[in-house]
Amino acid sequence: MEILLVEDDDSIAEPLMAGLRRDGFDVARVRTASQALAHETPEFVLLDLGLPDADGSDVCRELRSRGETPIIVITARADEIDRVVLLELGADDYLVKPFGFRELRARIRAVLRRTQPRSEVPPTTKIGDLEIDRRTRRVTKNDEELQLTPKEFDLLAYLASDPGAVFARQEILESVWDTHWYGPTKTLDVHIAALRKKLGDPAWIATVRGVGFRLHEPE
Ligand code: CA
């Protein structure tokens, strides 16, 4: 997949390009709004709002009017971040500078999961000696059934839909609890702690600081 990075600042663009390429993306980079709009329809756009020749929000609106390309807005100006306005412009998500690459990666994956046709999640997922059966809602470890509450099961099944991938806290809350959850996130931590206990090894669910969680077999 090719990502179009629209960013005039080299000190931000260069490490992003290097990281995205390491992750297997092709990256095209442009510096201005006019270059961005002249680029042939990109598959995914990372869009800086502070561009030298126009406001990035105009670019966002124009790209959205052309099609369904996923767009993540990046901005240095936290004060202009109005989630509602960005969603009206057609952005799928946003990041405020400075942000870590892991957070960007988690957001890209989240947007791709939301915007791409859902690949069929298999009825069972096996990770090491852990098996999650979505049809029967049973979880076994070493062939012994774990007694999970319904929400614990939903959370585990969600993390297991892409083993090893980082899921952002907000994404988990929106998917497992409610479509839009802006409240305190302590509920999530309580459920993570309970799951870790029931899985018998806290290392099953790794905390990715400042981003979220991922499920993987302990080493
Ligand atoms: Ca800029």
Side-chain angles (χ1 to χ4, degrees):
M1 163 173 283
E2 186 187 67
I3 294 183
L4 177 64
L5 173 63
V6 187
E7 170 62 78
D8 54 315
D9 185 338
D10 288 343
S11 70
I12 290 169
E14 278 161 14
L16 283 190
M17 286 191 288
L20 291 168
R21 286 181 178 136
R22 267 199 308 277
D23 276 7
F25 293 106
D26 294 323
V27 187
R29 187 254 177 135
V30 297
R31 290 177 167 79
T32 65
S34 53
Q35 287 170 339
L37 294 174
H39 198 272
E40 64 179 296
T41 311
E43 291 176 281
F44 198 107
V45 181
L46 293 177
L47 175 65
D48 178 28
L49 285 191
L51 297 172
D53 57 335
D55 196 299
S57 55
D58 295 329
V59 178
C60 186
R61 193 183 291 110
E62 173 62 23
L63 286 174
R64 178 54 68 239
S65 75
R66 295 179 186 179
E68 295 299 308
T69 305
I71 302 168
I72 294 181
V73 159
I74 49 185
T75 177
R77 294 168 292 177
D79 58 328
E80 81 185 328
I81 282 301
D82 181 327
R83 191 181 162 105
V84 175
V85 170
L86 283 172
L87 295 179
E88 279 170 6
L89 290 173
D92 295 281
D93 204 350
Y94 64 87
L95 280 165
V96 178
K97 299 176 194 174
F99 53 83
F101 187 74
R102 285 190 305 188
E103 177 163 21
L104 173 67
R105 176 195 284 146
R107 298 296 184 93
I108 290 173
R109 295 185 73 123
V111 167
L112 287 175
R113 275 193 291 266
R114 281 207 303 273
T115 56
Q116 286 187 335
R118 187 166 269 281
S119 56
E120 204 63 21
V121 176
T124 61
T125 300
K126 215 167 160 19
I127 311 165
D129 57 12
L130 182 69
E131 188 162 355
I132 295 140
D133 189 328
R134 293 182 179 78
R135 276 176 310 203
T136 60
R137 294 180 63 88
R138 286 175 78 237
V139 177
T140 55
K141 193 160 162 280
N142 288 327
D143 296 323
E144 270 182 47
E145 186 169 357
L146 304 185
Q147 300 300 323
L148 303 186
T149 67
K151 273 297 173 210
E152 287 165 4
F153 178 85
D154 292 342
L155 174 57
L156 182 63
Y158 185 65
L159 295 175
S161 66
D162 196 355
V166 179
F167 289 82
R169 299 178 67 93
Q170 192 62 35
E171 180 191 4
I172 298 170
L173 286 165
E174 290 180 4
S175 302
V176 177
W177 271 269
D178 207 329
T179 46
H180 287 288
W181 179 292
Y182 297 107
T185 63
K186 196 168 178 350
T187 305
L188 174 56
D189 296 292
V190 169
H191 282 77
I192 292 280
L195 266 183
R196 280 176 172 152
K197 205 167 170 186
K198 292 181 181 181
L199 289 168
D201 183 344
W204 272 101
I205 302 177
T207 300
V208 181
R209 200 179 291 272
V211 182
F213 301 96
R214 66 192 192 96
L215 178 71
H216 66 146
E217 191 181 7
E219 282 158 24

